[in-house]
Amino acid sequence: EYFPNMFMTLLSIRYAKHATRPPQAIFKVPPRMTKHEIKEYLTKIYNLPVQRVMTANFDPKWKRHFAYGGRKIVPYKKSVAFKRAYVTLEKG
C-alpha cells in the first residue's frame, strides 16, 4: 500500500480532445517532491497512465506593504515557494 504525506492540486488540463497530442495535466506540488514521486503518486493512487513528468520551480514573491499612521517601517510579506508539475498522460 502507498500512503503519501504530500499533496497535489490539479490546476488545469491541456489537449484533452486534441487529435494528435496526448493530454497534459498541470499540478501544483510541494518543492521537495521529485518527478519519480509525482509519477508514483499518480499511478498508484489514481491509476493514471503517466508518460512523462516535467517540473518548474517557482520562487516566493516579495510584496511591499505600506504602513500608514506615521510609522516609518515598511514590512515585507513573502508568498510560499511551490513547484508546478506538467504530467503528460498516454493517449486513450
Side-chain angles (χ1 to χ4, degrees):
E1 294 181 20
Y2 181 71
F3 297 109
N5 59 354
M6 297 184 209
F7 59 91
M8 293 178 69
T9 306
L10 178 66
L11 297 177
S12 68
I13 298 175
R14 297 195 288 187
Y15 316 121
K17 296 181 181 180
H18 200 269
T20 57
R21 295 185 78 161
Q24 188 179 50
I26 303 171
F27 294 95
K28 185 176 180 180
V29 299
R32 66 182 183 274
M33 201 167 190
T34 63
K35 292 180 184 182
H36 179 71
E37 289 174 342
I38 294 168
K39 184 175 182 177
E40 188 176 343
Y41 185 99
L42 294 173
T43 53
K44 289 195 175 187
I45 293 178
Y46 298 109
N47 295 325
L48 289 175
V50 176
Q51 186 178 14
R52 182 172 70 169
V53 177
M54 297 181 296
T55 58
N57 288 311
F58 290 89
D59 291 331
K61 303 277 192 244
W62 288 90
K63 291 186 179 180
R64 190 172 172 181
H65 294 276
F66 293 100
Y68 296 106
R71 290 209 249 154
K72 294 185 179 181
I73 300 170
V74 180
Y76 287 90
K77 186 178 180 183
K78 184 172 79 165
S79 64
V80 181
F82 67 95
K83 182 184 275 190
R84 197 174 282 169
Y86 299 89
V87 180
T88 305
L89 306 171
E90 293 177 5
K91 209 148 169 72

